[in-house]
Amino acid sequence: MDPSYDKYLSNVAKEIKASDIRELLAVIRKKPGVISFAGGLPDPATFPKKEISELAKYVIEEKGDLALQYSETKGILEVREALSKFLQDTKNIRVDPEDIIITTGSQQAIDLVTKTFINPGDIVVTENPTYLASLGTFRIYGAKVHGITIDEHGIKTDLLEKEIKRIRSEGGRIKFIYVIPVAQNPSGVTMSIDRKKHLMEIASTHDLIIFEDDPYSYFIYDEGVDTTILKQLDKEGRVIYVSTISKIMAPGIRIGWIVSPPELTRRFELVKQYLDLHSPTLNQYILAEAINRGLLKNHISKLAPYYRVKRDAMIKSMDEYFSREETWYIKPVGGLFLMVYVYKKGFDASNSLPIAIEKYGVAYVPGASFHTDGTGRNSMRLNFSYPSVEKIVEGVKRLNMLIRETAG
Ligand SMILES: *Cc1c(COP(=O)(O)O)cnc(C)c1O
């Protein structure tokens, strides 16, 4: 007799369900001819393969005894020092290497921060919509998520302040405010400098912690965009800053980092030791070399021109094919995504997805799952980093046919 595993599973494991969308997307992968805007992958053509293979060889041959060994939980000192220089260089902020902790991708950072702060029933405030993997993590730990509406300047900080007061007046315990200030995933929105300053003011007035997730501010497609990170504005030690090399080098290396005030870094370090002892030593050494030799910075400078072409192809085709009265999106200044809202009665992106795939050969992620409150059923998240320019143009045409088909 087979054991009945279910009765032994934890509540957490039972709580995590594979979504219908996940299954649909697995179907697409096997269907030739479907143009997919549904993924979230960087274009592998950007991976610096030759450089990484040289660095890997060098690190194993010259530093193999250390690089293949167990190492410090918070990350090897060399990579923390290199990241400190990198932050000084790219963001003009001084960060003590002791205030940096290396994580296994920023997903582990998100998990670590959540695990360190959240008890079931605690409240996390986010942008609405927000990053799906963070939303999932917050919920696994039992957080209640309150999303705040965004517009073209980012999270609406006036609404945020009202919501904070309301939650507090009802006895709610807000643990942190999670934001992706630059080239937000999924919406593509970048916060204006005024909103950033207002957010920091609110955090100070109401004694709150900000959790800043920043995978994208290092490569920006347009001139004159304010890419200040909240950490730069943080005078009181309220910001926990998380970033990653996933989008600026290669996600398979799985290295991210947290910059936080010393007391918190110590806490994160203690929690992390039971997750994985430390992040891969070899990959950390590779990153340290990539930074110290100037390879990372040089590589980043090539990303923006490369992805700008794809972003522009998507925007141009949407402006050409979509009806302006019926659709709305924010032009992303960076990142890999944008979100299209369709204002046509009866259009439901979740219900339409099977038709999009079967009849029109195009796929997207229905926006509802990124929204914290069941809204956004009229929205679709589109990825422009992975498909070729040709496919982007053709895919947008197909999406337009799908939207047209909705009776309205
Ligand atoms: C892509 C992305 C990440 C990256 O996660 P990794 O675990 O570092 O690969 C984190 N946050 C957001 C908002 C992202 O879009």
Side-chain angles (χ1 to χ4, degrees):
M1 194 179 84
D2 289 335
S4 57
Y5 302 113
D6 270 16
K7 66 172 187 268
Y8 298 115
L9 292 179
S10 70
N11 293 338
V12 165
K14 281 191 273 194
E15 199 51 37
I16 305 174
K17 303 225 164 57
S19 66
D20 296 346
I21 292 160
R22 215 186 148 86
E23 270 145 44
L24 253 179
L25 296 181
V27 173
I28 308 170
R29 261 174 244 127
K30 292 182 212 119
K31 262 179 117 70
V34 173
I35 296 174
S36 181
F37 296 136
L41 307 181
D43 188 335
T46 65
F47 297 159
K49 291 178 225 137
K50 199 168 140 275
E51 289 85 347
I52 295 175
S53 82
E54 276 165 18
L55 292 182
K57 187 169 189 296
Y58 166 81
V59 165
I60 291 170
E61 284 177 359
E62 301 298 320
K63 305 186 179 194
D65 288 356
L66 293 170
L68 300 172
Q69 188 56 281
Y70 282 118
S71 58
E72 233 195 300
T73 297
K74 67 191 287 193
I76 58 168
L77 182 59
E78 250 173 282
V79 71
R80 287 186 283 111
E81 281 171 348
L83 275 171
S84 168
K85 267 186 264 158
F86 178 70
L87 287 167
Q88 171 84 57
D89 217 21
T90 55
K91 298 292 170 196
N92 200 24
I93 51 171
R94 298 182 85 81
V95 174
D96 186 335
E98 288 311 310
D99 299 342
I100 298 177
I101 176 159
I102 306 300
T103 58
T104 305
S106 52
Q107 186 58 34
Q108 184 183 57
I110 292 162
D111 187 74
L112 202 50
V113 171
T114 311
K115 192 171 197 162
T116 305
F117 282 93
I118 299 298
N119 292 315
D122 287 347
I123 291 166
V124 169
V125 179
T126 69
E127 291 145 330
N128 187 27
T130 190
Y131 180 48
L132 202 52
S134 295
L135 205 48
T137 306
F138 301 152
R139 287 179 173 151
I140 285 171
Y141 286 98
K144 285 190 260 174
V145 178
H146 288 241
I148 307 293
T149 309
I150 55 168
D151 63 13
E152 69 269 33
H153 305 297
I155 188 168
K156 291 185 144 194
T157 40
D158 49 346
L159 289 184
L160 170 70
E161 188 160 33
K162 274 190 208 139
E163 184 68 0
I164 288 165
K165 287 181 186 160
R166 194 190 61 75
I167 294 169
R168 288 254 170 97
S169 75
E170 290 170 4
R173 297 181 305 273
I174 302 171
K175 286 298 179 75
F176 53 75
I177 302 171
Y178 171 77
V179 282
I180 306 157
V182 179
Q184 202 241 19
N185 178 4
S187 68
V189 174
T190 294
M191 280 176 82
S192 66
I193 186 70
D194 290 348
R195 289 275 173 89
K196 286 173 189 162
K197 286 181 179 160
H198 193 201
L199 176 59
M200 294 309 296
E201 246 173 66
I202 291 171
S204 180
T205 309
H206 298 276
D207 187 19
L208 286 159
I209 290 173
I210 308 275
F211 178 4
E212 174 175 35
D213 186 3
D214 177 36
Y216 299 119
S217 76
Y218 299 90
F219 58 109
I220 293 296
Y221 311 143
D222 301 315
E223 298 290 318
V225 176
D226 183 84
T227 55
T228 309
I229 54 173
L230 298 171
K231 193 75 205 161
Q232 280 168 282
L233 304 173
D234 182 24
K235 300 206 172 58
E236 299 174 354
R238 298 193 172 276
V239 176
I240 299 167
Y241 175 82
V242 166
S243 191
T244 173
I245 62 157
S246 288
K247 311 290 159 52
I248 54 178
M249 193 161 144
I253 295 177
R254 307 308 302 136
I255 297 289
W257 66 93
I258 307 175
V259 178
S260 52
E263 302 97 280
L264 288 180
T265 305
R266 181 78 193 130
R267 292 279 175 189
F268 295 144
E269 187 183 358
L270 292 173
V271 177
K272 180 177 160 73
Q273 62 182 322
Y274 298 111
L275 295 183
D276 60 355
L277 301 182
H278 62 79
S279 298
T281 322
L282 176 60
N283 296 7
Q284 291 186 58
Y285 272 106
I286 290 171
L287 176 59
E289 283 297 318
I291 296 172
N292 291 336
R293 295 184 188 192
L295 282 173
L296 185 60
K297 228 185 140 190
N298 180 44
H299 179 64
I300 290 174
S301 70
K302 296 185 215 146
L303 284 177
Y306 185 85
Y307 283 131
R308 185 189 300 126
V309 173
K310 294 191 173 203
R311 191 256 340 236
D312 287 349
M314 183 167 271
I315 300 283
K316 188 162 166 280
S317 343
M318 291 200 312
D319 288 348
E320 195 172 328
Y321 297 109
F322 290 0
S323 140
R324 282 188 197 203
E325 290 76 47
E326 288 169 2
T327 54
W328 182 77
Y329 69 88
I330 291 161
K331 180 182 174 183
V333 299
L336 314 179
F337 307 101
L338 57 80
M339 193 83 142
V340 184
Y341 288 82
V342 179
Y343 295 100
K344 197 167 182 194
K345 223 171 100 201
F347 182 81
D348 182 307
S350 306
N351 294 344
S352 291
L353 184 58
I355 304 164
I357 294 169
E358 293 299 330
K359 187 165 168 193
Y360 296 108
V362 64
Y364 51 81
V365 185
S369 37
F370 300 89
H371 288 73
T372 55
D373 55 359
T375 60
R377 293 193 66 90
N378 62 330
S379 65
M380 310 178 264
R381 189 192 71 171
L382 306 183
N383 166 269
F384 56 79
S385 60
Y386 191 78
S388 65
V389 166
E390 251 178 358
K391 291 216 161 119
I392 289 173
V393 176
E394 176 59 25
V396 169
K397 266 192 223 174
R398 294 181 186 182
L399 274 183
N400 184 53
M401 289 193 273
L402 175 78
I403 299 170
R404 300 267 116 236
E405 189 188 271
T406 310

